[in-house]
Amino acid sequence: MLTPEQLQFYKDNGYLLVEKVFTAEEIDECVRETDAMFERVQQSGRRLEATWGGKWREAQIPKEELGKTSVLSIHNMQYHSAVFTRMLVHPKLTEVLADLIGPNVQLHHTKLHVKPPEKGSPFPLHPDYDYFPHEKDTMTAAVIHLEDATVESGCLCVLPGSHKLGPLGHQHEGSHYLSPDEYPIEKATPCPAKAGDVLLFTYLTVHGSYLNRTHKPRRIALFQFRSPTDRPLKDVHVSPGQGMMVRGINPAP
C-alpha cells in the first residue's frame, strides 16, 4: 500500500518509483526466462528488433552511431511464459496499482524490452496518450526493472508534472509531434532504479530513455494497466491480452 506522501508525489509529478516490489529470487527467475524466451524466438526466425526508426528517434542518437543501435522487443510475454503471468497478478504490484487506478485493475498490454550492451537505442521524450487514448486517462505504465538501471545503462527519465499539460502529440512523420528541440532529453529527470523496483507513470507523463553505453544489457518488463470502466477513444493498439483483470472485477463486462 502506498503512503499518503507517495500518492501526493504521484499526483503532483505524474510518476513514482516504488522500491523492492519484487524479490531478488523473483527477478532472477524472470531474467533467466527473459533470456531463454529471446533465444527461443530467435531460433524461430521471428524479428525481434523494435521498428524505432525515423527522424524523431534518430535525433537522439549521435551521427556516428546512427544505424548501429537497437532495442529487442517481445510483446504479450504472458502468452509465452507463465513467469510473466505471475508477475502481472503479483499482489504487491496490483496493490500499488489499485492505489493509483482504483480497486478494479485491468490489463491493456505487455512488452519486454532489452537494450543490448553498448548500443542499446535511446527513446526520445514523448507521452503515450496518442498510442491508446482513453476517456478517463486512467492508463498507467508499470516498468519492472529486471536489473539495476542507471543513466549509463539507458534508464528511463521523465518530465515531472508534464501530465498536467494534458494530451500532447507525438512526431509521427507528417503529423504533430514533440520536437526534440522543445523537449530535449537533457531536460528530463533520470529515474535510476534497482532490480525489483517498479517505475509507475501515467500515459500523459512525458518520458523517454537514454542510450545504453555499458557492457551489460538493460532489461525491463513494461505492463500497461487501466480501469475496466475507462473506454478507449480509438480502436488502436489492440492486444490479445487486453481486458484481463489482474485485481478486482469488471463491473461492466
Side-chain angles (χ1 to χ4, degrees):
M1 181 177 295
L2 296 177
T3 67
E5 292 76 17
Q6 287 175 310
L7 289 170
Q8 189 62 49
F9 184 93
Y10 186 82
K11 180 180 179 181
D12 292 342
N13 296 282
Y15 78 100
L16 178 69
L17 182 68
V18 183
E19 299 177 344
K20 299 179 180 179
V21 176
F22 294 92
T23 66
E25 292 75 18
E26 290 166 336
I27 291 298
D28 286 345
E29 179 187 36
C30 190
V31 168
R32 290 194 300 271
E33 184 54 32
T34 295
D35 293 346
M37 183 185 299
F38 272 99
E39 183 175 349
R40 292 195 299 269
V41 173
Q42 286 174 322
Q43 289 175 350
S44 73
R46 287 174 51 194
R47 179 182 175 87
L48 281 173
E49 186 172 347
T51 55
W52 290 1
K55 296 179 180 178
W56 175 54
R57 298 172 176 96
E58 291 172 358
Q60 301 298 323
I61 302 174
K63 290 182 179 179
E64 65 274 12
E65 295 177 349
L66 284 176
K68 300 177 182 179
T69 65
S70 65
V71 173
L72 304 180
S73 300
I74 295 177
H75 291 216
N76 308 308
M77 306 91 70
Q78 70 276 15
Y79 284 93
H80 300 283
S81 172
V83 169
F84 293 99
T85 305
R86 291 194 291 272
M87 293 189 81
L88 280 171
V89 296
H90 196 291
K92 289 186 69 175
L93 175 63
T94 60
E95 181 178 55
V96 169
L97 290 164
D99 287 342
L100 300 178
I101 294 175
N104 304 315
V105 182
Q106 188 178 66
L107 176 67
H108 188 263
H109 69 272
T110 68
K111 297 178 183 178
L112 185 63
H113 288 320
V114 176
K115 290 191 177 188
E118 299 177 353
K119 299 294 183 180
S121 292
F123 202 104
L125 294 179
H126 66 286
D128 287 337
Y129 175 87
D130 274 2
Y131 292 129
F132 29 79
H134 279 62
E135 292 177 351
K136 300 178 182 179
D137 298 335
T138 63
M139 190 71 68
T140 303
V143 177
I144 296 94
H145 294 83
L146 305 185
E147 57 230 325
D148 296 354
T150 64
V151 171
E152 292 74 22
S153 69
C155 73
L156 274 80
C157 56
V158 300
L159 284 183
S162 54
H163 65 302
K164 296 178 181 179
L165 300 174
L168 297 173
H170 290 159
Q171 176 181 348
H172 301 300
E173 278 69 18
S175 64
H176 186 59
Y177 64 93
L178 295 186
S179 166
D181 295 328
E182 187 177 357
Y183 291 90
I185 202 165
E186 292 78 15
K187 288 187 176 181
T189 298
C191 298
K194 298 291 186 180
D197 293 351
V198 177
L199 179 66
L200 301 144
F201 54 87
T202 83
Y203 76 162
L204 294 171
T205 300
V206 175
H207 62 283
S209 64
Y210 304 104
L211 180 73
N212 181 9
R213 298 182 181 277
T214 70
H215 65 282
K216 296 180 179 180
R218 191 225 63 178
R219 308 175 184 90
I220 61 167
L222 170 61
F223 301 155
Q224 291 274 4
F225 300 97
R226 67 186 177 191
S227 166
T229 61
D230 193 0
R231 302 302 181 190
L233 295 174
K234 297 179 181 179
D235 186 22
V236 293
H237 212 294
V238 178
S239 163
Q242 204 167 99
M244 172 187 174
M245 296 303 301
V246 299
R247 187 180 178 96
I249 63 167
N250 186 347

